[in-house]
């Protein structure tokens, strides 16, 4: 019987590559940033095996320093065995691991400075390659107007073939997911916790409705890890070609997300608050983003223009990445 081939690589070799990436990212006692530096220099187990253990550790010093080089476990047989066991256990819980080299890895997320080396995914993995992913985000303490705009915005995005992205928090995020589901679309919920822990617990039912509707959950955290809500923001932005903050106070986390949008060269689009909403604390951050010209104002009638801008931006991002890789 022959060995199955997936995307030009035998399934056995692909399983080894996945285990290697998982082991380096989660079992080698390194920070994610240090693990990624090593991965970029040694992207496969084969590239490691070109060197003796002593030479490999010596080369590591140039990338992560003497102290971290000593921490790296170079007993790859043991590490890979543990990685295979953990990946199989996750699969038994319907959680798949997608690594950087996987063609199902979100193409735009791959472009950020420190992309997660592995993603834990529950639900439909295939939707993650949709480059017209749009994040609808905002405060948990939104007004009724804000929730309604988030709901209707998500429905419009679904009608245009977009993938809606948000967290699983109360307020704007919940309204965006609900609008997507009612429009028959698919959304991606980004977790700041491992996938076995839905936070807040009150949104557990909504989270499962996302899966039942053909959507997905994503986390970069293995089961049992501590929550990292701030780190998850870069996944929300990196996965998306455009970010639509609906409502946020000036000091809200959404304003910090806006900084990532600029850093990652994504589009920042905001609905203009209704007249009666302009004195609301929940709208203060949006007004600031608009008045400082950091965000482009959009309305329901801007749909076609916005879609064209998103397609063009996604194309430019990928073309730029390809040009840089070829240099």
């Amino acid at each position: 019987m022959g060995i199955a081939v997936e995307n030009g690589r035998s399934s056995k070799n692909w399983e080894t590559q996945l285990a290697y990436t998982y082991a380096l990212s989660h079992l080698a006692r390194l920070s994610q940033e240090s693990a990624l530096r090593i991965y970029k220099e040694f992207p496969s187990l084969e590239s490691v095996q070109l060197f003796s253990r002593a030479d490999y550790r010596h080369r590591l010093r140039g990338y992560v320093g003497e102290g971290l080089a000593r921490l790296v476990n170079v007993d790859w047989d043991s590490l890979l065995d543990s990685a295979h066991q953990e990946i199989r256990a996750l699969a038994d819980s319907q959680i798949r691991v997608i690594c950087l080299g996987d063609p199902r890895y979100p193409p735009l997320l791959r472009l950020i400075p420190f992309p997660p080396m592995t993603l834990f995914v529950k639900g439909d993995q295939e939707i993650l390659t949709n480059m017209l992913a749009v994040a609808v985000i905002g405060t948990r303490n939104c007004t009724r107007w804000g929730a309604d705009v988030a709901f209707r915005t998500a429905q419009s995005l679904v009608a245009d073939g977009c993938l809606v992205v948000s967290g699983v928090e109360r307020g704007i995020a919940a309204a965006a997911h609900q609008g997507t589901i009612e429009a028959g679309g698919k959304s991606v919920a980004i977790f700041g916790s491992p996938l076995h822990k839905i936070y807040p617990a009150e949104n557990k039912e909504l989270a499962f409705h996302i899966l039942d509707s053909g959507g997905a959950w994503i986390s970069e955290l293995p089961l049992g890890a501590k929550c990292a809500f701030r780190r998850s923001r870069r996944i929300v932005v990196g996965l998306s070609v455009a970010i639509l903050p609906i409502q946020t106070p000036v000091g809200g986390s959404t304003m910090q997300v806006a900084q990532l949008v600029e850093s990652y060269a994504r589009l920042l689009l905001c609905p203009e608050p209704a007249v009666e909403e302009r004195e609301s604390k929940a709208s203060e951050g949006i007004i600031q983003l608009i008045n400082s010209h950091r965000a482009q104002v959009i309305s329901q009638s801007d749909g076609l223009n916005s879609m064209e801008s998103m397609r063009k931006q996604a194309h430019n991002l990928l073309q730029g990445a390809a040009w840089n890789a070829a240099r």
Side-chain angles (χ1 to χ4, degrees):
M1 182 180 295
I3 297 175
V5 175
E6 180 178 342
N7 299 300
R9 177 182 291 186
S10 73
S11 59
K12 183 176 181 181
N13 288 343
W14 179 249
E15 288 173 6
T16 299
Q17 178 63 23
L18 175 59
Y20 168 74
T21 311
Y22 182 96
L24 185 58
S25 180
H26 299 294
L27 305 180
R29 296 187 295 170
L30 292 165
S31 70
Q32 291 295 294
E33 288 77 10
S34 295
L36 185 61
R37 290 190 188 100
I38 295 173
Y39 176 83
K40 288 181 176 179
E41 181 63 23
F42 300 99
S44 67
L45 184 63
E46 290 85 351
S47 64
V48 171
Q49 293 172 334
L50 293 174
F51 304 93
S52 68
R53 289 192 179 192
D55 287 343
Y56 173 64
R57 196 179 294 265
H58 175 74
R59 291 176 68 86
L60 286 182
R61 295 189 187 111
Y63 302 101
V64 295
E66 178 70 33
L68 284 178
R70 287 198 303 270
L71 283 177
V72 178
N73 186 340
V74 290
D75 181 1
W76 284 107
D77 288 340
S78 176
L79 279 181
L80 291 177
D81 184 59
S82 296
H84 281 302
Q85 291 182 37
E86 292 192 18
I87 291 168
R88 284 195 293 267
L90 287 163
D92 289 341
S93 299
Q94 287 77 53
I95 296 173
R96 302 293 177 179
V97 183
I98 298 178
C99 66
L100 266 175
D102 195 315
R104 292 166 297 187
Y105 193 96
L108 297 181
L109 182 60
R110 198 190 305 270
L111 305 181
I112 71 173
F114 287 100
M117 289 175 60
T118 56
L119 293 172
F120 299 89
V121 181
K122 196 175 182 75
D124 186 356
Q125 307 166 76
E126 304 302 328
I127 62 176
L128 302 182
T129 58
N130 187 341
M131 289 183 294
L132 289 179
V134 181
V136 181
I137 62 173
T139 180
R140 291 184 289 272
N141 300 312
C142 64
T143 66
R144 181 172 297 180
W145 176 88
D148 182 59
V149 170
F151 184 93
R152 288 186 287 106
T153 297
Q155 292 192 316
S156 296
L157 290 169
V158 168
D160 287 328
C162 295
L163 177 68
V164 176
V165 176
S166 199
V168 284
E169 298 88 356
R170 297 182 294 270
I172 296 298
H177 288 301
Q178 289 164 348
T180 302
I181 292 168
E182 291 203 19
K186 299 179 179 182
S187 64
V188 175
I190 310 299
F191 281 49
S193 59
L195 294 185
H196 70 299
K197 183 177 182 180
I198 298 173
Y199 183 87
E202 67 192 65
N203 279 354
K204 184 175 182 178
E205 183 177 359
L206 172 61
F208 279 99
H209 281 166
I210 291 168
L211 294 184
D212 294 340
S213 302
W217 302 351
I218 290 182
S219 177
E220 67 175 311
L221 301 172
L223 301 190
K226 294 180 179 180
C227 296
F229 296 107
R230 289 188 178 182
R231 286 185 65 86
S232 69
R233 295 171 192 161
R234 82 190 201 290
I235 300 179
V236 172
V237 179
L239 189 69
S240 309
V241 67
I243 286 73
L244 276 70
I246 305 299
Q247 282 188 317
T248 179
V250 171
S253 61
T254 299
M255 296 296 284
Q256 297 166 15
V257 169
Q259 295 176 352
L260 287 177
V261 173
E262 295 157 354
S263 174
Y264 296 170
R266 303 314 200 243
L267 299 176
L268 186 60
L269 311 173
C270 291
E272 187 166 15
V275 173
E276 63 272 18
E277 293 289 324
R278 291 177 185 171
E279 299 301 319
S280 166
K281 183 177 180 180
S283 295
E284 289 176 352
I286 300 300
I287 292 171
Q288 185 181 99
L289 289 173
I290 292 172
N291 290 343
S292 63
H293 304 291
R294 294 171 65 188
Q296 175 186 338
V297 180
I298 60 167
S299 64
Q300 291 294 321
S301 61
D302 289 330
L304 289 177
N305 290 334
S306 297
M307 290 304 301
E308 183 58 31
S309 296
M310 289 183 215
R311 291 190 180 95
K312 183 177 180 180
Q313 188 69 5
H315 175 78
N316 289 343
L317 286 167
L318 294 174
Q319 286 291 100
W323 184 82
N324 286 330
R327 293 180 67 186

